Amino acid sequence: TKKWGGIGADNAYNIAFDSSNNIYVAAEFSNTVDLDPNSGTDSRTSAGSVDISLIKINPEGDYEWAKVMGSTSHDRLHSVQIASNNDIYIAGKFTGTVDFNPDSLVVDSKVSIGNYDAYFTKFNADGSYAWTKTWGGTDRDTVNDFVIGAHGNFYLAGVFRGTPLFNTDSGTEPITTVGLDDAFLTRYNADGSYGWTKTWGGTSNDFSFNIRTSPTNDIYIIGSYQLSVDFDPSGTTNSLTAVGSEDS
């Protein structure tokens, strides 16, 4: 077991492996934390209440590096995935202004439109920064999980509220929630360009939490919903009604 943390809230949410069995942990930290779980020291101090941390540990359990980024508010890393060429992808939510390039004097600052915006970031296999896509509206938007499909495409599942612009390449494709929180499924192509977005929800709160793809590239999402929701985003209807206050 490897552990790290300080006097504040520190959490790990997701884990992934590359082709050499290196371990990548999607986490968050607050205050000052030594992110090296072994005898060495790599102390980092959060810029705000909670910051993003991506930690790499080799198969022997030795600490390799950490990438940290954050604003003066709350930022979270929900999911990490490793491509077949060992490129590293992370996604989650952020607030305020965040420099997503943690390594160099070159800044890639993104500013949230609402109180939370979603982000999708690529690091190259050597750990160097590549790019970040962000999107959101005037309320809250987040990626809860994502996967790399059979053909190298990316499928991101999350929650949105209000009218975010989902197409990060053109700044278009506004989609408005039916109720409060609605669920979304967004595809990015293998080259990182925007593909499409599907959404669903009722007049209350509906969430998508986790996503997986099959070897034939079918997509499966789990979450929760309230009241009545049409789960078919294609224009036809597949409505289900919750038995209790919130159903799966």
Side-chain angles (χ1 to χ4, degrees):
T1 297
K2 305 293 181 180
K3 69 179 185 70
W4 57 94
I7 61 172
D10 311 293
N11 296 291
Y13 291 103
N14 205 257
I15 196 167
F17 300 86
D18 65 19
S19 61
S20 299
N21 287 324
N22 292 299
I23 307 157
Y24 299 82
V25 182
E28 67 182 15
F29 73 103
S30 59
N31 297 306
T32 297
V33 174
D34 177 12
L35 296 178
D36 185 342
N38 296 328
S39 59
T41 301
D42 188 0
S43 291
R44 307 295 183 99
T45 300
S46 63
S49 62
V50 178
D51 278 11
I52 297 160
S53 59
L54 173 66
I55 299 167
K56 178 180 179 181
I57 297 172
N58 69 27
E60 289 72 40
D62 299 322
Y63 176 78
E64 293 285 332
W65 48 250
K67 311 291 184 183
V68 302
M69 58 207 84
S71 69
T72 57
S73 189
H74 190 143
D75 313 290
R76 180 167 285 172
L77 171 51
H78 280 147
S79 188
V80 55
Q81 298 290 332
I82 313 299
S84 58
N85 64 353
N86 290 329
D87 287 343
I88 308 157
Y89 297 86
I90 62 173
K93 64 183 181 182
F94 76 104
T95 306
T97 301
V98 174
D99 176 13
F100 281 93
N101 185 349
D103 295 326
S104 70
L105 296 177
V106 178
V107 174
D108 188 9
S109 290
K110 309 290 186 182
V111 180
S112 66
I113 299 170
N115 61 1
Y116 282 121
D117 277 15
Y119 71 87
F120 179 39
T121 296
K122 174 184 176 180
F123 291 94
N124 300 310
D126 62 2
S128 60
Y129 178 76
W131 47 252
T132 293
K133 314 279 188 177
T134 68
W135 65 97
T138 57
D139 210 298
R140 60 187 189 191
D141 313 284
T142 182
V143 177
N144 286 328
D145 196 15
F146 75 100
V147 291
I148 303 174
H151 305 296
N153 299 312
F154 305 93
Y155 298 93
L156 300 92
V159 178
F160 73 106
R161 182 180 284 203
T163 308
L165 301 174
F166 278 93
N167 189 337
T168 58
D169 294 336
S170 64
T172 59
E173 197 165 342
I175 301 175
T176 301
T177 52
V178 176
L180 299 175
D181 291 308
D182 280 9
F184 72 81
L185 167 65
T186 292
R187 169 178 153 165
Y188 278 88
N189 303 313
D191 62 0
S193 61
Y194 177 80
W196 45 253
T197 294
K198 313 286 187 183
T199 69
W200 60 97
T203 57
S204 192
N205 291 305
D206 312 292
F207 303 98
S208 56
F209 292 126
N210 294 96
I211 181 170
R212 297 291 184 270
T213 55
S214 71
T216 57
N217 220 41
D218 291 330
I219 304 163
Y220 297 85
I221 298 171
I222 61 172
S224 65
Y225 74 105
Q226 298 176 330
L227 302 178
S228 182
V229 173
D230 176 13
F231 282 91
D232 188 342
S234 69
T236 57
T237 300
N238 181 24
S239 291
L240 300 175
T241 300
V243 177
S245 61
E246 190 169 34
D247 278 16
S248 301

